[in-house]
């Protein structure tokens, strides 16, 4: 009996040892798998260790705040328009910043669960809803990518809900350039590319309507209706970019590269379209090519459209009653000095309009900030925030429109070629300006502003070349760089937080705010997009 008991006890010990070994092996294996999963992640991603929903207690507050701000023609969301509102202001007073102004901050990041090649723009509708445009930003790895497409995704994880492809340049032969993203008050999406326009169901992605847009003097294969805005009466106002004649390159960058080789662009076309039927209501030919987007506002009760062209900025009017577009011969400015190139899109700044020169680059003259009165086109103020001369070998390239904060009297200029960003104090009463700060920062992105007037946050990207001391022009055209996001005190430029370096963002891109204090960083060459969140860094434990 004792022998039997001894053998049973021994067997039990063996079984316990086997169980312990297997359990330990499972735990060890799980730890190994966790470590393997983190290989290649940045420090910001490791810190997040999963999707970032943000502060969910702010969702309703952020939305309610935004819905108090009139955005006629657009869905009343935190980011229902391509760049914040009908005037493309880039100002987001209802977007929450969760970081601190008076102590160190940490950045958390998480990459989308699904891949969205070549993202250009991202918008939200209700909390939890995210819309994405991509497939039209060529990369070195995929110069002729399929697209454009519009997709809907989960706002925290980036998991795709649906994706609607609208073209494939390899099959259609069209020139495909960047396209923007706007949401109508009924939640549907009007979307234009090449000489095409569709209306998408915002819930399902189904194509509801389609039409072809006029190309004017340009061959149909050389136009891209990237620029779609919505007038206060709801009418879609579109303008096309034109590719230089003889140019065969893809992407919006084709304009910059082929224009530099002396190829000439045909003039652009301005078009008014019914938002429900997509009927072309009226169109007019502009006197010049207009590579930069237009901006829509209201002047003395009239719907005004400011269009930046190759050598000038001119105002047009849309008359909803007569359903007619017209050019205003009395409001024209010529902001470019000798050696400078096309002006950027206009920023509406109270009674003023602001543009930056060198929108397609210059080797001979730095960029300038030009501010003109909407009431009197002869009243023009010019400031050179980075000086009036270029050193040998320097390149000035100010791709994005100026950032504007009328509440605080601040304008912002980013010159990627010179590697600098300036904050300019502008007195709307006198028209006088003064450079408030200049920081070293290489970016082609917009300069959006987040949060309330008293604590405005300026968000910039910062590009770092993969090859030390590589010239800015070569770095940009070869996409041979990494890029990070920085959050700054908008009044002084003081750095508040900075992310890790990620894959490049599309040129002329935007760091997009979303509900709960989060931000989206779209990538051109990487996998999908990143969700970013800034939080105060925990205090070090007392010793």
């Amino acid at each position: 009996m004792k022998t039997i008991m001894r053998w049973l006890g021994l067997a039990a010990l063996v079984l316990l040892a086997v169980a312990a070994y297997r359990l330990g092996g499972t735990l060890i294996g799980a730890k190994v798998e966790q470590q393997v999963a983190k290989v290649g992640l940045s420090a910001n991603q490791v810190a997040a260790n999963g999707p970032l929903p943000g502060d969910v207690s702010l969702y309703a507050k952020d939305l309610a705040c935004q819905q108090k701000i009139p955005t006629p023609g657009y869905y009343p969301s935190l980011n229902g328009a391509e760049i914040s509102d009908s005037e493309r202001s880039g100002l987001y007073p209802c977007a929450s910043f969760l970081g601190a102004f008076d102590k160190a901050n940490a950045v958390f990041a998480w990459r989308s669960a699904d891949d969205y090649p070549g993202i250009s723009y991202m918008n939200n509708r209700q909390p939890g809803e995210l819309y994405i445009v991509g497939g039209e930003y060529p990369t070195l790895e995929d110069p002729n990518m399929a697209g454009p497409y519009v997709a809907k995704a989960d706002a925290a994880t980036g998991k795709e809900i649906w994706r609607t492809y609208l073209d494939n340049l390899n099959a259609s032969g069209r020139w495909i350039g960047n396209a923007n993203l706007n949401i109508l008050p009924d939640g549907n999406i009007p979307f234009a590319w090449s000489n095409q326009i569709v209306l998408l169901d915002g819930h399902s992605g189904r194509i509801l309507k389609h039409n072809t847009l006029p190309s004017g003097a340009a061959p149909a294969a050389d136009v891209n209706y990237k620029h779609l805005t919505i007038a206060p009466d709801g009418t879609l106002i579109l303008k096309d970019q034109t590719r230089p004649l003889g140019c065969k390159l893809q992407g919006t960058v084709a304009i910059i590269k082929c224009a530099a080789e002396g190829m000439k662009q045909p003039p652009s076309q301005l078009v008014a379209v019914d938002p429900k039927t997509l009927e072309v209501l009226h169109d007019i030919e502009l006197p010049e090519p207009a590579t930069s987007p237009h901006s829509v506002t209201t002047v003395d009760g009239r719907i005004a459209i400011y269009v930046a062209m190759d050598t000038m900025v001119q105002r047009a009017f849309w008359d909803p009653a007569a359903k007619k577009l017209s050019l205003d011969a009395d409001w024209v400015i010529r902001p470019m000095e000798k050696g400078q190139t096309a002006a950027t899109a206009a920023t509406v700044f109270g009674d003023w309009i602001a543009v930056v020169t060198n929108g397609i680059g210059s080797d001979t003259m730095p960029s300038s900030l030009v501010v003109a009165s909407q009431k009197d086109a002869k009243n023009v103020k010019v400031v050179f925030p980075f000086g009036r001369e270029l050193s040998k070998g320097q390149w000035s390239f100010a791709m994005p429109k100026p950032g504007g904060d009328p509440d605080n009297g601040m304008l912002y200029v980013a010159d990627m070629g010179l590697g600098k960003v300036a904050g300019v104090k502008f007195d709307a009463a006198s028209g006088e300006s003064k450079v408030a700060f200049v920081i070293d920062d290489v970016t082609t992105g917009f300069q959006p502003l987040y949060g309330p007037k008293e604590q405005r946050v300026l968000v910039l990207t910062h590009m770092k070349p993969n090859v030390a001391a590589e010239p800015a022009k070569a770095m940009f055209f070869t996409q041979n760089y990494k890029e990070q996001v920085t959050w700054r005190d908008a009044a002084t430029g003081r750095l508040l937080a900075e992310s890790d370096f990620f894959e490049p963002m599309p040129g002329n891109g935007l760091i997009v705010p979303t509900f709960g204090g989060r931000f989206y960083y779209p990538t051109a060459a990487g996998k999908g997009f990143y969700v970013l969140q800034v939080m105060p860094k925990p205090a070090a434990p007392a010793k």
Side-chain angles (χ1 to χ4, degrees), residues 423-434:
V424 178
K425 193 74 174 176
F426 182 79
D427 186 337
S430 66
E432 297 304 314
S433 60
K434 179 182 178 182

Side-chain angles (χ1 to χ4, degrees), residues 344-360:
T344 64
T347 293
V348 181
F349 198 83
D351 291 333
W352 301 82
I353 291 294
V355 298
V356 178
T357 58
N358 287 351
I360 57 175

